[in-house]
Amino acid sequence: MRRAFTADVSTDSSNSRDWLSPTRVWRLTQCPASVGPVVSTSVAALKDSPNAGIVAHRAVQLWIKGDGYRDADPRSRLADAISAALAEFGGESPVGWPTTRARLLSRSLEIAELLVTGEHVESEQVLLDPVRTLRGTPDIVVLNTGDAAVIDLKTQTFKEESLSPSIVFQLTIYAYLVELAYGVFPNQVEVFSLNRGRMPIVVTPATVANALATVEQAGKADKSIANPSPETCRYCRRRIDCQPQWDAAPLWPSRDCVEGAIERIERAANGAAAILVRSPGSLQWVGGIPGDLVSASVGARIRLVRLYRSDLAGDSGGFKWSPQSALAVNPATMPA
Ligand code: SF4
């Protein structure tokens, strides 16, 4: 019989407090201004078009919730969970889904082997430290009496064998939150990459103490200092408003953002729109934008972020909308 494992956390995980996720804390350590206010309203299609990673994470969550990993045939139970997850998001396959789905299924037995070692497995449980206002949601926590494992599922393709400092920091904070919630320090902390498999991380009480010291120092930093860089800015919630980022981006070798005045709008039969954006010294097409997001008129000022470069022949230098992209029309913080 399984023992009941209960996380000892505050239940107030609402947005009434300005909780800091490990990702936000890491960005704060790189750029103090990232915790500043968001002024402009942006629109994105992410809610309607989840990316492959979101669907894969939901599938694993359903698989764990239904104890599918303990089944005699965990792979087919995961296939069922994948279908259920996809249906929850409207049934349409996101970009890159066939590869992500195939990788996830091919790793199902490896993941199941990790999970069945636990008396109890939690998936996507929100863990809080109200004192430091830290909030983390580890993908998987495998619990036994006296030990625990933290597993973070990564669906993106890892080209390198090593993990970035931001991922190591994220999992170190997760280990801290797990100890706070369950009273047991994780003896196993790892990334499970769908293309590389298990990628263990060394987390000790000393590395946790260092990470918490970093959090404390970051909290004291001068919030007026902005340090724009492609990696730090990419998912910053202040991107649309942040002028230092817009000043720096034209010099980035592979920038993913465009701003300027709308010169022309073209709409395709499939509903997608393309916008020609004029900025000082350049004229850029941004294509593949969901038509319902383009309500602006020619002459309006626009900022678009998290685009990717179009490689289509004859379209060199152009940009394309991605499921993570966002845009804002006439943002108040954009100079006239
Ligand atoms: S957009 Fe970049 S520079 Fe601006 S606050 Fe965010 S991380 Fe800092």
Side-chain angles (χ1 to χ4, degrees):
M1 187 174 151
R2 285 191 220 160
R3 184 192 144 178
F5 290 87
T6 309
D8 179 18
V9 294
S10 160
T11 52
D12 178 17
S13 62
S14 68
N15 291 326
S16 58
R17 296 187 68 180
D18 194 18
W19 294 101
L20 290 169
S21 68
T23 309
R24 266 190 80 193
V25 177
W26 177 258
R27 190 173 295 113
L28 173 61
T29 66
Q30 307 300 299
C31 175
S34 64
V35 290
V38 175
V39 177
S40 303
T41 304
S42 60
V43 292
L46 188 59
K47 196 165 171 236
D48 299 330
S49 307
N51 63 36
I54 289 174
V55 179
H57 277 80
R58 178 60 180 153
V60 170
Q61 189 184 18
L62 292 173
W63 187 51
I64 290 172
K65 206 171 155 195
D67 276 351
Y69 61 95
R70 295 186 190 275
D71 196 275
D73 186 0
R75 191 180 190 282
S76 72
R77 292 288 299 275
L78 182 56
D80 293 343
I82 286 172
S83 300
L86 199 55
E88 282 184 10
F89 290 107
E92 201 174 316
S93 296
V95 174
W97 178 240
T99 302
T100 301
R101 183 182 186 280
R103 284 177 175 174
L104 183 56
L105 280 174
S106 75
R107 297 282 187 184
S108 57
L109 295 185
E110 273 176 88
I111 302 173
E113 275 173 19
L114 284 171
L115 304 189
V116 293
T117 60
E119 293 173 60
H120 181 70
V121 178
E122 281 289 354
S123 173
E124 313 255 350
Q125 165 78 45
V126 177
L127 303 176
L128 305 174
D129 174 357
V131 175
R132 292 184 170 86
T133 62
L134 285 173
R135 175 170 63 186
T137 312
D139 290 337
I140 300 168
V141 180
V142 182
L143 293 156
N144 281 302
T145 306
D147 66 59
V150 178
I151 301 167
D152 202 53
L153 188 70
K154 298 288 186 198
T155 56
Q156 69 267 42
T157 298
F158 279 91
K159 292 183 179 148
E160 311 285 337
E161 280 183 22
S162 58
L163 293 165
S164 69
S166 63
I167 291 177
V168 173
F169 181 82
Q170 176 194 13
L171 268 80
T172 304
I173 295 295
Y174 283 167
Y176 163 70
L177 291 172
V178 165
E179 185 185 24
L180 200 63
Y182 298 101
V184 53
F185 191 83
N187 59 333
Q188 182 187 343
V189 179
E190 61 186 63
V191 161
F192 192 97
S193 156
L194 290 192
N195 76 303
R196 286 194 173 271
R198 299 177 63 180
M199 303 175 80
I201 294 171
V202 176
V203 177
T204 65
T207 62
V208 167
N210 280 342
L212 293 178
T214 301
V215 172
E216 198 173 328
Q217 281 167 10
K220 293 176 185 163
D222 180 348
K223 307 295 187 294
S224 67
I225 297 172
N227 292 322
S229 73
E231 297 75 27
T232 310
C233 296
R234 182 163 173 78
Y235 289 105
C236 178
R237 62 202 181 97
R238 299 196 63 224
R239 274 198 87 176
I240 294 287
D241 295 318
C242 179
Q243 193 56 43
Q245 185 261 180
W246 289 103
D247 293 340
L251 301 176
W252 294 346
S254 54
R255 76 181 158 116
D256 65 343
C257 54
V258 171
E259 67 168 345
I262 298 177
E263 182 91 1
R264 204 160 122 199
I265 300 173
E266 291 190 355
R267 294 183 187 274
N270 65 3
I275 297 178
L276 185 62
V277 181
R278 178 180 290 282
S279 53
S282 80
L283 207 49
Q284 302 278 2
W285 276 106
V286 181
I289 307 171
D292 56 346
L293 298 185
V294 182
S295 55
S297 309
V298 168
R301 291 170 305 126
I302 191 167
R303 281 178 164 172
L304 304 103
V305 297
R306 290 187 291 280
L307 305 168
Y308 63 88
R309 293 270 179 176
S310 168
D311 296 328
L312 296 178
D315 194 19
S316 69
F319 290 85
K320 278 205 172 284
W321 186 262
S322 80
Q324 286 78 38
S325 299
L327 66 82
V329 176
N330 293 327
T333 46
M334 183 175 174

